[in-house]
Every structure is written in structure tokens, then in C-alpha cells.
Amino acid sequence: MGSRPAPCGTGAAFSGRESVGVTAASVRKAPKAKAKPKAKPKPKPKRLPPDERERLIVREAVAFFAERGFEGQTRELARRLGITQPLLYRYFPSKEALLDRVYQEVYLNRWNPHWEDILEDRSRPLEDRIVEFYSDYARAVLTYEWIRIFMFSGLRGMDLNGRYLTVVRDRIFARVIRELRFENALPAPSEVPISEAEFELVWSLHASIFYIGIRKWIYGLTIPDDVTAVVVALTTAFIEGVPAVVARLTDASPESRVRAAARRPTP
Amino acid sequence: MGSRPAPCGTGAAFSGRESVGVTAASVRKAPKAKAKPKAKPKPKPKRLPPDERERLIVREAVAFFAERGFEGQTRELARRLGITQPLLYRYFPSKEALLDRVYQEVYLNRWNPHWEDILEDRSRPLEDRIVEFYSDYARAVLTYEWIRIFMFSGLRGMDLNGRYLTVVRDRIFARVIRELRFENALPAPSEVPISEAEFELVWSLHASIFYIGIRKWIYGLTIPDDVTAVVVALTTAFIEGVPAVVARLTDASPESRVRAAARRPTP
DNA sequence: CGGCTAATTTATCTTTTGATAAAACAACAT
DNA sequence: ATGTTGTTTTATCAAAAGATAAATTAGCCG
């Protein structure tokens, strides 16, 4: 517990949201002894302001731990950053604290509150809304870093995954189901609570899309170029397939579904 | 390297294919020298025949690495086995060799060749076949050990996942698609090769089911008690939803689908 | 230029961890 | 019993890896 007059702490600055491409490291070179402009991997971009250094560390840490897992070693992370390993400890009191920051970075900052609006805009066909939402969700989440850190964190037993998915369930799944009910002229969730089976159906759509990311970034398989096209196809299949399942589950007669369809507002 | 007159080697015995439910571990307790029935955690089950010891190690290693990941430490594994850590090295030349054995154990020995027969038994409705296959596949694969070791191995960059999934694609997906084509009176894969879009549709069913295991064993979420019921629902939705998508993809007119349906053998 | 402040590095500690060699000892055959 | 065989343990090594303290030096200010 020595005196450490430094930034440190886990909840430091980093509100600046600007461009991440800070690749333009201002070069220095010692005042004398030019040491020839050899293309040495030692450009010495030393001495940055603390908040910028911190941003660099966090950015690289996300990429690094996504690749190597949370057992990745601080020495290698430091090497990638072009700094020495002890310097990490000036900005984060422990590796665990750095990892906490990495979680924060990945889980937060990538949720788009607008998604919820898209889903409940009844001026558009539900299929369109779901397609737009999941296309954008895929764009945001089906990335190397997001998918792998999410999986590493789940395997490690963090409850972060559980908490994140609770949000997904309440904000997304529940809305999709509400809108599906509305389309099919079924009672609103406020009247008849959402059943486990309904959640399962939405889970299945979600899984199909998320699993594309797993295939690519965890299994290293090739996936279709046009993910949006797949989302469209899956959403179509989902919308078309749900009524058949719902019919079985609720044991509703085909006639009742026809009546329901008749009550549906024609778009 | 030192003379080692021991079993060792990675491809040792254990070809016996018997039951996987080896839960009935041959009990411990030394034959004599009771050493007082104190509830001490030191039952001294020493000196087993090499192949039995090896089986015990592999069995525990699977459980251990599934829980802790491949960075789990040999000392803790040994502690769980009630043996000392160097003993592991009498049976496996390195940790890596033990891990290879663990992969083998999980990936092999759990594939049921009969699955392929189920899927192509045209005396039954396709929906039934898919339900039976995926119910059994889920029973075999949606386990703590399988799911987690598969994911750990993928994250580690092993190509085992890719190779396994190639088998799944060729043996399962291709069959499902062939049967779907047949049901819808479409050309066989031998005539018209399977498109990426068709594979995607089957991937989606597969993902929906596999993801149930991820939810439970990686995220720690609760899942429905009756997984088979979910498989039934998902398969129904799949079968019902596919034609709509296929229609879009192949841009086939509704009439052509009606004609196709007419040619379909009525079950 | 001279000096102060603090970002960064060098040197080092301790614990962990995969791995090895040699001692110990249980089980079996003679 | 007694010796032999080979399983298991004890003792130990060396490298890896998280963490800390002290030395160094870049950059700013007068």
C-alpha cells in the first residue's frame, strides 16, 4: 500500500468518445544520437497524458483479452502496447481491476436504446421491425471482441451475462412477444402473462442470429457474407413458423386463429 | 529423457466402448487397516492397476477442465483425485497430452451413428424424425461437460470444433436438407447442390437447440424442464417456417409450391 | 538553462505452476 | 518371510506471472 500519487482507480476519466484511431503516435527521438531511421519496432512514443494512456490500455486490453482469454498475461499485453508491464499497475491496481474495466467497456457502450423504439413502432409491419432491430443488433454484437469476451466471461462464472440477458429479455424479448400477440390479436402481456414457451420461441430467433457470431469468432468457420440477408430469412421463418407453434401450445382451434386474424388491423 | 517404464503415452488403452454412465465408480477404502472410521478426507485408496487409475484420471480431468477451463492447474486436479500432482505425469507426459485425451473423450464416444438412419427413414413423417434426432442429440450433447469443453476448445483456437462441425454438416445438415427437399418435391442435392441459404436454415434450428445448453451451462440461466417439448416446438416452427423462406429464396411462385405439395406423398 | 513534476522504466520479490528425479512403500511371487 | 516390481509420494527445479519499490527521464515552467 505504498503512496501512489497516480491516476489509478478503476472508475477514472475516459469520457472522451472521439476517434479510436490514435495510431498517429507523435514520435520523439532523443535530442542527439539519431540512431538512424531504422524500421525498428521501437518507436518510443513515450510520455502521454494519463487519460490518453488509459484509453490506449483499455482499448488494447479489450482486443487482447478477447483473443487470449482472461488468463492472458499482463506482460504480453504490455508488449503489445509498447510499454513495460509495471506501467499497467500505475493505471489499474490489479489485473482483475483491468478486467472489470474491460467488461464495462464491452457490455456497456454498445446498447442502443433506440432498438426498443424500433420494435414498438406499429406503423410498420412487425417483420420489418424485427429485421431492422436484429440487423443492427448483429452489427453491434456479432464482433470478435463482443462475442468472445461474452463467452469468456460466461465460462468464468461471472453473472454479468445473466444480468445482460435479463435486460435483453425485458427490453427486447418481451417487446417482440407483445407485438406478436398484438399482430395475432391475442391478449396483451398485461392481461395474460408471457409463457415460458413464448420466450423460448424468441430465444430461438435470438440464438440463431447470435450463433452466427459464435460460428465465426469462436469456431472460426466461414459465415455468409450478407448477414442481413440471413436475418431477413430467419425473421421470415420465425414469423411464419410461430403461429403453428402457438396453435399447438394454446391448443387453439384454427377457427379461433382465423377470427383473431380477422380482428387484426390490416396494414 | 529419464527412463520411464510406465504406461504413459497418449494413445493408451481404453478402447472399451461400454456405458458412458460410469457413475458407479468402484468404491475406495483399503481392504484392511481401517485406520479408524474418522471422516477424514484422506481415505488412502492407493495403488490401483494402471488402466483403472488412468480411467479415473481422465474421468476427473474431463469434469475438472470443463469447470475451470484448460488453464485449470494440475495440482488441483490431483487434489480432486486424491493423488499427488507428479503422479499425473506418470500417466500423461504433459498437461497438453492430458488435454488431448480429454478432447478425444468428449468429442468421440458421444456420436451415435444411428442418428443418420433416423433422419432418412422415410416411412415416418420428417417432423417426427427431426424431433427424435434432436431430442436424442440434445440428451447427448447438452451436458455440462460437452458444452463447456466444446466452447473452451473453440476459444482456444483448436480446429477440433471445425472438424466436428464438418461432420455434423455432412452427416446431419445435408440429410435434413435432402429430406426437406424430398418432402417439398424439390430436386435432390445430387441434381441441385445445397445452397448456402439452405444450410443457414438448418444452422438456425441447430443453433436454437444448442443454445439452450449454452444458456444453462455457460450463462447459468434456467431453462425449461422439458427440453424435448422445446425441441418439438422448434421443429414444428422450422418445418412450418421453411417453405415461406424457401419460396422467397428460390423466388418460386406460390403455384409451384402448391404443385410441389400435391406431388408430395400424403402421410 | 535549471529544476520540478510525474510518466515510464529497471530491478526485484513472491507465488504459482508445469515438470523431473529420487525415495518410499504396497502388492505379489517365490 | 523376503526380495522384486512398479505405483505413489516427497523433495525440488525452473520458468512464468502478478505485483511493488526505486531509479530514470521526458516535458513543462520560470
Side-chain angles (χ1 to χ4, degrees):
Chain A
M1 315 4 185
S3 63
R4 191 184 278 163
C8 208
T10 189
F14 193 50
S15 47
R17 191 57 156 57
E18 49 168 2
S19 92
V20 199
V22 205
T23 336
S26 54
V27 192
R28 263 330 118 129
K29 284 306 178 200
K32 279 217 294 184
K34 277 274 298 157
K36 275 141 200 166
K38 244 197 285 190
K40 205 69 160 298
K42 204 73 177 185
K44 287 266 184 190
K46 288 207 258 202
R47 198 126 327 194
L48 295 132
D51 52 343
E52 183 175 353
R53 175 66 75 196
E54 184 173 324
R55 267 192 359 243
L56 287 179
I57 292 176
V58 171
R59 181 161 69 89
E60 190 71 30
V62 168
F64 175 70
F65 290 119
E67 179 185 330
R68 307 291 259 237
F70 302 147
E71 322 278 344
Q73 297 136 16
T74 55
R75 276 177 177 79
E76 193 189 338
L77 170 58
R79 197 175 46 68
R80 287 202 196 185
L81 279 159
I83 62 177
T84 57
Q85 179 245 7
L87 187 55
L88 294 172
Y89 288 85
R90 180 152 193 100
Y91 290 87
F92 297 92
S94 68
K95 182 182 176 180
E96 207 47 44
L98 175 55
L99 286 178
D100 286 345
R101 182 62 178 281
V102 166
Y103 301 145
Q104 229 184 80
E105 205 63 19
V106 173
Y107 289 121
L108 281 46
N109 299 12
R110 303 221 188 181
W111 185 271
N112 181 355
H114 184 51
W115 286 333
E116 302 162 43
D117 304 328
I118 295 176
L119 286 172
E120 53 190 18
D121 172 14
R122 288 184 179 163
S123 71
R124 307 168 55 192
L126 179 54
E127 189 169 338
D128 286 7
R129 291 179 254 161
I130 297 181
V131 164
E132 181 180 341
F133 161 68
Y134 264 119
S135 298
D136 200 60
Y137 187 78
R139 187 197 48 71
V141 162
L142 265 50
T143 68
Y144 184 84
E145 295 175 352
W146 206 103
I147 294 271
R148 290 177 66 96
I149 288 189
F150 196 71
M151 212 48 74
F152 275 124
S153 131
L155 286 166
R156 217 192 190 203
M158 322 285 313
D159 60 331
L160 281 165
N161 304 65
R163 283 194 276 134
Y164 176 84
L165 289 169
T166 298
V167 172
V168 170
R169 198 194 56 204
D170 295 346
R171 307 254 176 98
I172 305 299
F173 291 6
R175 269 185 178 76
V176 170
I177 292 164
R178 193 178 63 193
E179 298 305 308
L180 273 171
R181 291 254 192 104
F182 180 78
E183 288 262 312
N184 290 24
L186 294 168
S190 52
E191 297 179 52
V192 177
I194 298 175
S195 69
E196 187 181 58
E198 287 172 293
F199 271 120
E200 282 305 311
L201 281 176
V202 186
W203 262 119
S204 84
L205 176 61
H206 190 84
S208 300
I209 292 167
F210 193 80
Y211 207 70
I212 295 172
I214 293 181
R215 284 157 56 194
K216 179 166 180 67
W217 300 121
I218 298 185
Y219 303 155
L221 304 179
T222 62
I223 59 165
D225 293 326
D226 188 353
V227 171
T228 299
V230 177
V231 169
V232 171
L234 294 178
T235 305
T236 302
F238 175 73
I239 298 272
E240 297 282 330
V242 160
V245 177
V246 172
R248 282 203 186 190
L249 291 174
T250 65
D251 206 24
S253 66
E255 294 79 43
S256 76
R257 274 189 289 137
V258 170
R259 269 185 283 114
R263 291 199 338 256
R264 188 189 321 165
T266 52
Chain B
M1 311 331 174
S3 63
R4 189 184 277 162
C8 210
T10 189
F14 195 50
S15 48
R17 188 50 158 60
E18 47 169 1
S19 89
V20 196
V22 205
T23 336
S26 55
V27 198
R28 299 103 201 295
K29 282 304 175 201
K32 278 217 299 182
K34 281 275 298 161
K36 275 148 200 164
K38 241 199 284 188
K40 204 67 161 301
K42 203 71 175 187
K44 288 266 182 186
K46 287 207 256 201
R47 199 125 326 194
L48 293 127
D51 52 344
E52 183 174 354
R53 175 66 76 197
E54 183 173 324
R55 271 197 348 250
L56 287 180
I57 291 176
V58 171
R59 182 162 67 89
E60 190 70 31
V62 169
F64 175 70
F65 290 119
E67 179 185 330
R68 307 290 259 239
F70 303 147
E71 322 278 344
Q73 297 135 15
T74 54
R75 276 174 176 80
E76 191 188 339
L77 169 59
R79 197 174 47 68
R80 287 202 195 185
L81 280 159
I83 62 176
T84 57
Q85 180 247 5
L87 186 55
L88 294 173
Y89 287 85
R90 182 151 192 99
Y91 290 86
F92 296 92
S94 68
K95 181 182 176 182
E96 206 48 42
L98 176 54
L99 287 178
D100 286 345
R101 182 61 178 282
V102 166
Y103 301 145
Q104 228 185 79
E105 204 63 21
V106 173
Y107 289 122
L108 281 46
N109 299 11
R110 303 220 187 181
W111 185 272
N112 180 356
H114 184 52
W115 287 333
E116 302 162 42
D117 304 328
I118 295 176
L119 286 173
E120 51 191 18
D121 172 13
R122 288 185 178 163
S123 71
R124 307 168 57 192
L126 179 55
E127 187 169 339
D128 286 6
R129 292 178 255 160
I130 297 181
V131 164
E132 182 180 340
F133 160 68
Y134 264 120
S135 297
D136 200 59
Y137 187 78
R139 187 196 49 69
V141 163
L142 265 50
T143 68
Y144 183 84
E145 295 175 353
W146 206 103
I147 294 272
R148 291 177 65 97
I149 288 189
F150 196 71
M151 212 48 74
F152 275 123
S153 132
L155 285 166
R156 219 195 187 202
M158 322 286 313
D159 60 331
L160 282 165
N161 303 67
R163 283 195 276 135
Y164 176 84
L165 289 170
T166 298
V167 173
V168 170
R169 198 195 53 203
D170 295 345
R171 307 254 175 98
I172 305 300
F173 291 4
R175 270 184 177 77
V176 170
I177 291 164
R178 193 178 62 192
E179 299 305 308
L180 273 171
R181 291 254 194 104
F182 180 79
E183 288 262 312
N184 289 23
L186 293 168
S190 53
E191 298 180 55
V192 177
I194 298 176
S195 69
E196 187 181 58
E198 287 172 293
F199 272 120
E200 283 305 311
L201 281 175
V202 186
W203 262 120
S204 84
L205 175 61
H206 191 84
S208 300
I209 292 166
F210 193 80
Y211 208 71
I212 295 172
I214 293 181
R215 282 156 58 194
K216 178 168 180 67
W217 299 120
I218 298 184
Y219 303 156
L221 303 179
T222 62
I223 60 166
D225 293 326
D226 188 353
V227 171
T228 298
V230 177
V231 169
V232 171
L234 293 178
T235 305
T236 301
F238 175 72
I239 298 274
E240 297 283 329
V242 161
V245 176
V246 172
R248 282 203 188 190
L249 292 175
T250 66
D251 205 26
S253 65
E255 293 79 43
S256 75
R257 275 189 290 135
V258 170
R259 270 184 284 114
R263 291 198 341 254
R264 188 189 323 165
T266 53

